[in-house]
């Protein structure tokens, strides 16, 4: 029984890697782990079935790459490739070069599966199935002007962080800068944050984000759409917010408990504007009671408030750029603390994602002095 459970878990990792459009070498490596190192007929049949489904969902180009790799690997082992695998690959080969080029340039759907480990059923954010699958319309052209529609390592880390520490975000008003594809916001809604405002400075990215929220049953204008048997809980909004032009009066209407950002420390020219936005958001006392994050009611209250805090996840690719960030933050009276060690996500929710190295990401808390 234990062996069957282990095998099911391994195949779940293979399927999750495939649906997340992981590099085909990684997917094949995971499959070998299920079969003792070789590519068996059962493994080939498994790949054939999911490739057929992928083609129906518009990810045929990726399925073609995987089938080509699969055939090469089996032939190198002097194994026998299943007829259906050859036939499926032949269908892709018949596709015209023009069609292939078009498919390569359009955005695709990645299904990011957060897999909770055995024994975590009682954790507040763990679904009954121990699997939270988030479909995301995104781009593969991370470095070709489409960065806002890509999935970056820090957004994966921040999503794991939210799901691992739901008590930090439940019933809190949350505001994300540079929300990209919207994955962090979807996780915030899952852990029942009171209100979530997602922002981005690029209108095309914002449009794609709204599409992703709809695909995940989130209404970006009103509230969380009820699923059968679920309670309505989180209000989610999308807002166009270019840091460079955000005014003090515009920012003053937001009173979040928590501000979040993933991979937003990358361009020295943007840092003064980003930090100005953070200063404005963090100095506004959070709204308590039944008030919303976005409010025109600025009346003072006698209640004791916990100060707002920002959590910024970042891969430090350029030390000089990061040092500029630290210097500017100090000049703007912001305190920055590296909390990576104490707030590393409790669970490894993406065990199949070899392209994601959690150890490269650092988490910082930022607050007003």
């Amino acid at each position: 029984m234990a062996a069957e459970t282990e095998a099911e878990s391994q195949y779940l990792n293979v399927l999750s890697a495939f649906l997340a459009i992981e590099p085909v070498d990684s997917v094949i490596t995971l499959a070998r782990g299920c079969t003792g190192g070789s590519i068996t007929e059962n493994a080939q049949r498994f790949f054939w079935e999911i490739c057929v489904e992928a083609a129906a969902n518009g990810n045929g180009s990726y399925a073609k790459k995987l089938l080509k790799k699969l055939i090469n690997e089996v032939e190198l082992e002097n194994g026998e490739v299943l007829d259906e695998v050859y036939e499926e690959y032949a269908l892709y080969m018949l596709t015209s070069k023009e069609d292939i080029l078009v498919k390569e340039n359009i955005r695709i759907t990645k299904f990011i599966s957060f897999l909770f480990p055995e024994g975590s059923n009682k954790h507040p954010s763990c679904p009954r199935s121990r699997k939270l699958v988030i479909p995301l319309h995104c781009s593969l052209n991370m470095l070709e002007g489409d960065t806002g529609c890509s999935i970056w390592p820090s957004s994966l880390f921040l999503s794991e962080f939210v799901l691992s520490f739901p008590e930090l975000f439940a019933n809190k008003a949350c505001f994300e800068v540079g929300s990209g594809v919207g994955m962090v916001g979807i996780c915030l809604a899952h852990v029942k944050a009171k209100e979530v405002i997602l922002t981005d400075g690029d209108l095309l990215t914002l449009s794609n984000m709204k599409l992703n929220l709809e695909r995940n049953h989130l209404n970006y204008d009103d509230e969380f759409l009820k699923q059968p048997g679920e309670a309505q809980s989180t209000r989610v909004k999308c807002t166009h917010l270019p840091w460079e032009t955000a005014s003090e009066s515009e920012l003053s209407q937001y009173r979040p408990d928590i501000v979040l950002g993933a991979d937003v420390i990358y361009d020295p020219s943007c840092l003064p504007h980003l930090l100005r936005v953070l200063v404005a958001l963090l100095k506004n006392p959070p709204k308590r009671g039944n008030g919303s994050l976005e409010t025109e009611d600025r009346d003072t209250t006698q209640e004791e408030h916990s100060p707002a805090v920002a959590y910024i996840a970042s891969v430090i690719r350029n030390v000089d750029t990061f040092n500029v960030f630290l210097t500017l933050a100090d000049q703007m009276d912001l305190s920055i603390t590296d909390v990576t060690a104490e707030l590393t996500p409790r669970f490894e929710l993406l065990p199949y994602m070899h392209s994601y190295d959690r150890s490269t990401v650092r988490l910082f808390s930022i607050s007003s002095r």
Side-chain angles (χ1 to χ4, degrees), residues 219-244:
N219 186 316
Y220 54 81
D221 284 326
D222 297 306
E223 56 264 328
F224 190 53
L225 296 183
K226 287 192 293 185
Q227 297 299 300
E230 290 185 352
Q232 200 165 278
S233 57
T234 302
R235 298 180 61 218
V236 180
K237 291 190 176 184
C238 292
T239 300
H240 183 229
L241 187 74
W243 302 336
E244 297 86 349

Side-chain angles (χ1 to χ4, degrees), residues 293-311:
L293 185 160
E294 185 180 22
T295 177
E296 296 178 358
D297 177 11
R298 302 289 295 166
D299 292 342
T300 57
T301 176
Q302 300 300 315
E303 294 180 35
E304 289 294 325
H305 298 312
S306 296
V309 62
Y311 291 109

Side-chain angles (χ1 to χ4, degrees), residues 339-365:
V339 293
T340 310
E342 59 191 275
L343 290 178
T344 293
R346 294 168 177 162
F347 305 122
E348 187 180 351
L349 301 177
L350 301 164
Y352 59 88
M353 196 172 282
H354 291 175
S355 64
Y356 165 53
D357 183 359
R358 182 197 277 184
S359 68
T360 64
V361 183
R362 291 167 66 181
L363 181 67
F364 302 93
S365 69

Side-chain angles (χ1 to χ4, degrees), residues 254-292:
Y254 301 111
R255 300 170 68 175
D257 296 291
I258 299 173
V259 180
L260 301 103
D263 269 324
V264 291
I265 308 171
Y266 58 89
D267 183 349
S269 67
C270 293
L271 296 181
H273 307 295
L274 168 62
L275 285 164
R276 183 176 59 82
V277 169
L278 292 179
V279 167
L281 293 171
L282 294 174
K283 76 178 182 182
N284 295 333
K287 183 72 176 178
R288 288 295 179 257
N290 294 323
S292 67

Side-chain angles (χ1 to χ4, degrees), residues 18 22-25 27-28 39 41 43-56 59-76 81-93 95:
F18 177 85
E22 280 289 278
V24 293
D25 286 354
V27 180
I28 296 294
I39 305 295
E41 288 191 2
Q44 290 187 60
R45 192 164 287 109
F46 175 78
F47 279 126
W48 169 70
E49 290 174 353
I50 61 178
C51 283
V52 169
E53 186 174 348
N59 287 349
S61 180
Y62 175 73
K64 175 189 172 184
K65 293 177 183 177
L66 180 64
L67 288 174
K68 180 180 180 179
K69 179 68 175 177
L70 177 66
I71 290 169
N72 287 341
E73 293 291 306
V74 174
E75 290 178 343
L76 283 173
V81 178
L82 295 181
D83 289 342
E84 50 262 52
V85 171
Y86 272 133
E87 290 168 2
E88 186 67 20
Y89 183 64
L91 289 175
Y92 294 121
M93 294 299 292
T95 304

Side-chain angles (χ1 to χ4, degrees), residues 34 92 96 139 143 164 183 189 194 196 233 238 246 268 273 280 312 351 361:
C34 300
Y92 294 121
S96 69
S139 172
L143 300 177
S164 292
M183 177 168 60
K194 178 175 65 177
V196 178
S233 57
C238 292
H273 307 295
I312 304 296
V361 183

